[in-house]
Amino acid sequence: MRFIHELSGKVISCNLTWLALATGFLVVLIGSNTVRSESNFRTEVKIGADRLSLPVQKPTPIPGLPKTGIYGVRIDRSTPAVNECERIFDSIGLNSYAQIEGVDFTVKDDFLNVHPFSKMRECNVEKSGTGTVKITYTGEAGFSRVKDTFIEIPLFYMNRYFKGKFDYRLISAEQKPGFFPAPMFVENGKVLNRVYVAVYETSVVDGVARSITGVIADSCRTINDYRQLYYLKGAGFCAMDARTIMSLQHLFLVRFANKNSQVTIGDGFVELRQPEITMENAGATTNRVIIKESAKTADVYWFVGQNVAFTKKGLLVETARLLRIEKGVPLTGRNAFTIDKTLFLDRSWKFGSAAQNTGYCDMLTHDCGRSRQNSMGKSGTDHCGVKLFGMENLWGNAWCRVDGLVVKSLVAYVGNDVTAYNNNAAGYMPLKFRCLAMSDNGTVGDNHARIVNLGIDDANPWFALADSFGHDDFPVTGKSGYGDFYYLYDKTRNMHFTQGGGFDHYDRSGLFLMRGWNSDSSVWYLYGSRMQFKILD
């Protein structure tokens, strides 16, 4: 593959990934306030056996220029504890907001007029036995959130590069010099016009994977289990993958000009108890569970209506709904919980929280925001659903298994075909980006593992894992910078990622949290999945 610059006559050879589209013009800066564009700049792309992306050309933001159709931010990598990013190009002067359920929401969100946000639509996706796909949009006859519900995201173009101390994040509705289709839209070399991402975390009802409201988010399955569930729904259904997650992260940064998703939207369903608590009345058949715990602790972790779990050796064996909390019962230092079913409390079981039901954000009228707080909690936003671009709980609640990304010996391998994802990265492309190891899970309450900055792979600039994380001499807190933790177990076996942080994780959670801690066979009560759908034929 080669790129021919007609102005210089130079042929630039590149090993490119993902995309086979390029057009361009050269932007030349004159003085401090004028730009001149040269139209006789041609980019020639020849597709060989290697995969494709675009060369990175680096426009410079200048306030006061005519509209460019480019929206973006630049992130100062030298001040990682700062949340805010600088808006550039057409984003200058624009603002976006998160709605809080129960609070009047009358402000104008400027980005609802910006592509792709302006054309994201909630819809039902149904596929018949013959393969026919039916899309029903909200407001149309037959739409219901008890049918599989997705957000339709239209194709957009992005650019990302480092220049000086800045990380530039740009989007456009059209392909401009240096821009490439966001990776979520590229399947095995083909660029899709739209992708459908599930509104809700995956639930499993009668053995079928669903994205519907009012049911408990599923967990405790392997990545293969989820692949099989989606395969049975028909061609195009698949697990959310690294390409989609990193595309959404990019959109978040551009829209909110803030690195911290929990500060911007809300903490989500976090600061709940891991189901590893010994029951004082184990061995009884009852609808009441008694545990050793202070009344103050109960205020922080529990609320009526919460889903609770019973586990055995890390595996989920039963869930229930919490109907009543009695603090200091039957005596001081004990709390009693009445649940919605009678169970034999096996002595080998442990008790605690579970993933919560889908649908907490259904009452929101805006595409971004959070539901009401369900209890006192710790922060005031940590027992609620969160909504980003119409999608619920992209952090908090159940962790989301990430498909299409495997790390071996600290080398990241990325797949480009959702129909060919596998556990061993067969057919995946190794990236030049070198992953960092962070295998200390013993002191995760400290700030040493929080993301400081996100790195870049030069051939695949959309790829963004931590290239530095905090330490004792340079702490980043949950409310400063990205705020999210980064994990990567540094053994040579294949490592798979989960994303977002779970209901146990509090301010270590967030949109950018990536946990490379799992083999393909690992299961846990915290790990779930999210579905997406792509029209591949």
Side-chain angles (χ1 to χ4, degrees):
M1 180 181 308
R2 59 181 183 165
F3 291 87
I4 301 176
H5 192 313
E6 288 188 342
L7 294 180
S8 65
K10 294 180 180 179
V11 177
I12 305 171
S13 297
C14 306
N15 181 24
L16 300 173
T17 310
W18 300 110
L19 315 170
L21 304 172
T23 58
F25 59 88
L26 179 66
V27 176
V28 181
L29 300 181
I30 303 175
S32 60
N33 295 308
T34 310
V35 296
R36 174 168 56 87
S37 65
E38 299 288 349
S39 60
N40 60 337
F41 173 75
R42 176 168 61 91
T43 305
E44 177 185 277
V45 180
K46 294 189 176 180
I47 305 174
D50 52 350
R51 300 164 185 161
L52 303 178
S53 70
L54 296 175
V56 177
Q57 300 150 15
K58 302 173 181 177
T60 300
I62 301 178
L65 288 179
K67 295 296 184 183
T68 64
I70 298 171
Y71 298 83
V73 296
R74 63 180 189 177
I75 301 166
D76 189 339
R77 287 171 53 86
S78 70
T79 57
V82 174
N83 295 12
E84 294 78 12
C85 314
E86 179 187 358
R87 293 198 184 276
I88 56 178
F89 292 102
D90 294 357
S91 293
I92 295 173
L94 302 187
N95 288 293
S96 196
Y97 303 93
Q99 180 185 10
I100 304 172
E101 183 186 355
V103 178
D104 287 342
F105 186 74
T106 57
V107 296
K108 177 178 177 288
D109 193 313
D110 301 311
F111 280 85
L112 293 183
N113 296 315
V114 174
H115 185 92
F117 312 108
S118 60
K119 295 181 180 178
M120 292 182 180
R121 295 192 286 179
E122 186 179 23
C123 60
N124 294 145
V125 176
E126 300 173 89
K127 195 164 189 179
S128 70
T130 62
T132 303
V133 178
K134 180 182 179 183
I135 307 294
T136 306
Y137 297 102
T138 182
E140 295 181 345
F143 173 83
S144 172
R145 288 177 175 143
V146 296
K147 298 178 182 178
D148 286 328
T149 308
F150 292 76
I151 296 296
E152 180 184 83
I153 303 177
L155 171 65
F156 67 92
Y157 298 87
M158 61 181 281
N159 194 358
R160 182 182 180 225
Y161 55 88
F162 287 180
K163 183 177 181 180
K165 64 180 182 178
F166 293 105
D167 178 355
Y168 285 80
R169 300 282 195 142
L170 308 174
I171 62 170
S172 173
E174 301 174 348
Q175 188 156 20
K176 297 180 180 293
F179 283 67
F180 49 89
M184 66 188 290
F185 299 98
V186 184
E187 284 301 321
N188 204 19
K190 178 182 177 181
V191 179
L192 309 178
N193 290 323
R194 60 190 64 85
V195 169
Y196 300 84
V197 180
V199 166
Y200 305 109
E201 298 153 285
T202 294
S203 55
V204 177
V205 181
D206 297 327
V208 178
R210 305 299 305 273
S211 169
I212 60 176
T213 190
V215 293
I216 189 169
D218 189 73
S219 63
C220 223
R221 299 178 195 266
T222 68
I223 186 66
N224 271 343
D225 292 336
Y226 286 114
R227 288 187 192 128
Q228 181 64 16
L229 285 167
Y230 302 142
Y231 172 80
L232 293 174
K233 290 183 72 71
F237 290 98
C238 53
M240 192 159 77
D241 56 10
R243 291 182 286 132
T244 293
I245 289 167
M246 291 181 183
S247 297
L248 295 177
Q249 291 171 343
H250 188 87
L251 287 177
F252 169 81
L253 290 167
V254 171
R255 179 156 170 182
F256 286 99
N258 196 303
K259 296 182 289 186
N260 197 302
S261 58
Q262 288 189 309
V263 168
T264 303
I265 307 292
D267 288 331
F269 276 116
V270 296
E271 199 61 28
L272 302 177
R273 296 295 300 273
Q274 285 195 7
E276 296 179 356
I277 304 168
T278 298
M279 296 177 286
E280 297 283 296
N281 59 333
T285 298
T286 181
N287 69 338
R288 200 158 173 258
V289 177
I290 300 170
I291 64 172
K292 185 177 181 180
E293 182 182 69
S294 71
K296 184 177 180 180
T297 300
D299 289 335
V300 172
Y301 291 111
W302 306 98
F303 60 90
V304 171
Q306 178 182 159
N307 289 336
V308 294
F310 300 85
T311 64
K312 182 177 180 178
K313 296 182 178 179
L315 300 181
L316 193 63
V317 294
E318 186 66 76
T319 61
R321 195 86 160 166
L322 186 55
L323 302 180
R324 186 182 182 191
I325 303 169
E326 299 172 274
K327 293 178 284 188
V329 175
L331 69 159
T332 301
R334 304 292 189 274
N335 295 322
F337 303 88
T338 302
I339 59 175
D340 66 348
K341 60 182 68 173
T342 297
L343 298 171
F344 172 70
L345 305 183
D346 191 287
R347 294 185 185 279
S348 65
W349 291 5
K350 301 295 183 180
F351 173 73
S353 301
Q356 301 307 300
N357 278 16
T358 58
Y360 272 89
C361 292
D362 285 354
M363 297 300 292
L364 297 177
T365 57
H366 191 45
D367 69 333
C368 300
R370 65 177 182 265
S371 70
R372 294 178 186 272
Q373 177 78 354
N374 282 280
S375 67
M376 182 183 299
K378 182 178 285 188
S379 71
T381 73
D382 55 1
H383 289 172
C384 60
V386 289
K387 183 180 181 183
L388 182 67
F389 314 143
M391 290 159 277
E392 186 179 78
N393 295 339
L394 285 167
W395 60 92
N397 213 31
W399 292 73
C400 177
R401 290 191 175 276
V402 179
D403 214 348
L405 171 63
V406 177
V407 171
K408 300 192 244 185
S409 300
L410 303 183
V411 175
Y413 294 77
V414 179
N416 75 334
D417 181 356
V418 295
T419 68
Y421 285 165
N422 60 85
N423 296 336
N424 301 312
Y428 288 19
M429 178 187 62
L431 304 186
K432 292 183 179 179
F433 177 83
R434 185 72 174 175
C435 299
L436 298 177
M438 205 304 288
S439 57
D440 181 3
N441 199 34
T443 55
V444 292
D446 299 330
N447 293 318
H448 73 286
R450 296 189 193 275
I451 297 168
V452 169
N453 279 307
L454 295 173
I456 194 170
D457 183 81
D458 290 337
N460 302 277
W462 58 267
F463 187 82
L465 281 182
D467 67 358
S468 53
F469 51 84
H471 49 78
D472 292 339
D473 296 329
F474 190 83
V476 181
T477 71
K479 303 305 178 187
S480 65
Y482 291 99
D484 301 346
F485 263 49
Y486 166 81
Y487 305 81
L488 182 59
Y489 199 66
D490 59 346
K491 290 191 176 180
T492 57
R493 61 178 179 165
N494 298 347
M495 288 287 101
H496 294 251
F497 282 83
T498 51
Q499 175 270 340
F503 58 77
D504 67 316
H505 228 234
Y506 189 45
D507 67 359
R508 290 170 277 153
S509 300
L511 182 63
F512 295 90
L513 189 151
M514 295 286 280
R515 181 182 175 107
W517 209 268
N518 317 290
S519 70
D520 55 79
S521 61
S522 62
V523 295
W524 202 18
Y525 49 73
L526 284 167
Y527 292 165
S529 180
R530 186 179 297 265
M531 187 165 34
Q532 58 180 351
F533 175 72
K534 301 187 177 187
I535 300 174
L536 300 175
D537 47 19

